[in-house]
Amino acid sequence: MSVFLHGRTYWLEFQVDGKRVRKNLHVSNLRTAEKLAREYRTDEARGALGLPGVPASARRMTLAEFKETFLGQIRQVCKSKPRTIEFWEAMYAKLLTYPKLATSRLVDIDEALILKYREHRGTVKSRFDKPTAPAFMSPSSINRELACLRRAVRMAHEMKFILRIPRVKLLRGEKNREFVLSRDMEVKYLDACPKLLHDAAVVLIDSGLRLNELLTLAWPEVHLEPMGGASDRK
């Protein structure tokens, strides 16, 4: 197993069952390349020897076959957040629309394949049919899918399905939606609100609650007096 520079990036060369294999490490730093080579060496050696921790069935598992395992964990962790579950289900479905990724074994998903997926999604037209909408998928939309892939490979690593986590790089150029409501704008907004919306907005602003948290708030959870010995003095 050897590392060599080809063009601007380092490559890894090794043999599996008598066949020579070359893999682009997609890094230009020698130390980083040598570290990745050691990780690949461990992965290939364990797989070839059939060592415990990486079952043969796990090494054959594809991303599509890993779907139910991934979503099962998501549903367990986020059982009180149905919208979050729906989000991860939708993102995983997007990943499987790219056949090369869907049919790839988890152990074969590397930086090169992830880059191809990224490039492919960048050529997909946006679902928004508006003159002001971008013609193709935005970086933020693609990044949400990549975040799902990143979580999936990390989960696979925790379950010992893979021994190395491929790096999932997000796209640059994502628009920042963060907005800070100034004091002057707060006064104008509240003055323009109907009574019910005004009261809800005051609670949201003063408490920092999310909208769904406010809408599901019950009276037993509301305390008009300071709790736990806290003082209401300013």
Side-chain angles (χ1 to χ4, degrees), residues 106-176:
L106 294 173
V107 295
D108 292 332
I109 297 177
D110 58 9
E111 288 79 2
L113 179 57
I114 295 170
L115 179 60
K116 290 179 181 177
Y117 175 79
R118 240 174 51 173
E119 293 174 345
H120 164 71
R121 296 302 285 170
T123 64
V124 175
K125 290 187 176 181
S126 171
R127 62 187 176 88
F128 298 104
D129 187 16
K130 298 179 181 179
T132 57
F136 299 97
M137 288 185 63
S138 65
S140 58
S141 296
I142 299 175
N143 282 347
R144 286 196 290 270
E145 298 173 13
L146 292 173
C148 181
L149 179 58
R150 175 186 287 174
R151 183 160 185 172
V153 295
R154 287 179 176 174
M155 185 184 295
H157 181 262
E158 292 174 358
M159 294 180 170
K160 307 298 183 183
F161 288 177
I162 58 176
L163 292 175
R164 174 183 174 273
I165 304 176
R167 291 173 301 160
V168 182
K169 291 186 177 180
L170 303 183
L171 290 172
R172 296 181 179 179
E174 188 170 347
K175 292 183 178 179
N176 190 345

Side-chain angles (χ1 to χ4, degrees), residues 12-232:
L12 175 66
E13 182 178 88
F14 55 94
Q15 286 191 346
V16 178
D17 297 332
K19 296 181 180 180
R20 187 174 67 174
V21 179
R22 288 184 174 183
K23 185 180 290 289
N24 189 348
L25 298 176
H26 297 281
V27 295
S28 56
N29 182 276
L30 178 58
R31 289 188 177 180
T32 304
E34 291 175 341
K35 178 181 177 182
L36 291 176
R38 288 192 295 270
E39 293 175 355
Y40 273 114
R41 183 183 296 113
T42 302
D43 193 8
E44 293 300 329
R46 283 177 176 265
L49 296 174
L51 294 178
V54 188
S57 58
R59 292 187 63 82
R60 293 193 298 268
M61 183 175 290
T62 65
L63 186 70
E65 294 169 339
F66 187 62
K67 175 182 176 181
E68 289 308 315
T69 301
F70 174 80
L71 292 179
Q73 291 293 317
I74 292 295
R75 293 180 185 121
Q76 182 178 0
V77 174
C78 307
K79 56 185 177 182
S80 62
K81 301 176 181 178
R83 294 186 64 180
T84 300
I85 295 174
E86 291 176 4
F87 168 80
W88 291 114
E89 290 175 340
M91 292 304 102
Y92 207 100
K94 295 288 186 182
L95 296 176
L96 300 184
T97 61
Y98 187 54
K100 291 182 180 179
L101 185 61
T103 58
S104 289
R105 298 184 307 168
L106 294 173
V107 295
D108 292 332
I109 297 177
D110 58 9
E111 288 79 2
L113 179 57
I114 295 170
L115 179 60
K116 290 179 181 177
Y117 175 79
R118 240 174 51 173
E119 293 174 345
H120 164 71
R121 296 302 285 170
T123 64
V124 175
K125 290 187 176 181
S126 171
R127 62 187 176 88
F128 298 104
D129 187 16
K130 298 179 181 179
T132 57
F136 299 97
M137 288 185 63
S138 65
S140 58
S141 296
I142 299 175
N143 282 347
R144 286 196 290 270
E145 298 173 13
L146 292 173
C148 181
L149 179 58
R150 175 186 287 174
R151 183 160 185 172
V153 295
R154 287 179 176 174
M155 185 184 295
H157 181 262
E158 292 174 358
M159 294 180 170
K160 307 298 183 183
F161 288 177
I162 58 176
L163 292 175
R164 174 183 174 273
I165 304 176
R167 291 173 301 160
V168 182
K169 291 186 177 180
L170 303 183
L171 290 172
R172 296 181 179 179
E174 188 170 347
K175 292 183 178 179
N176 190 345
R177 297 185 178 183
E178 183 175 313
F179 174 75
V180 179
L181 184 69
S182 67
R183 290 291 185 182
D184 292 339
M185 295 178 67
E186 176 185 335
V187 173
K188 293 179 180 179
Y189 174 75
L190 293 177
D191 286 344
C193 285
K195 173 62 177 173
L196 184 59
L197 179 57
H198 175 279
D199 294 344
V202 170
V203 175
L204 290 172
I205 293 172
D206 291 345
S207 65
L209 290 173
R210 296 184 178 90
L211 181 58
N212 66 315
E213 293 172 336
L214 175 64
L215 296 178
T216 57
L217 191 64
W219 275 112
E221 301 167 334
V222 177
H223 304 276
L224 301 180
E225 299 296 330
M227 295 184 63
S231 174
D232 59 353

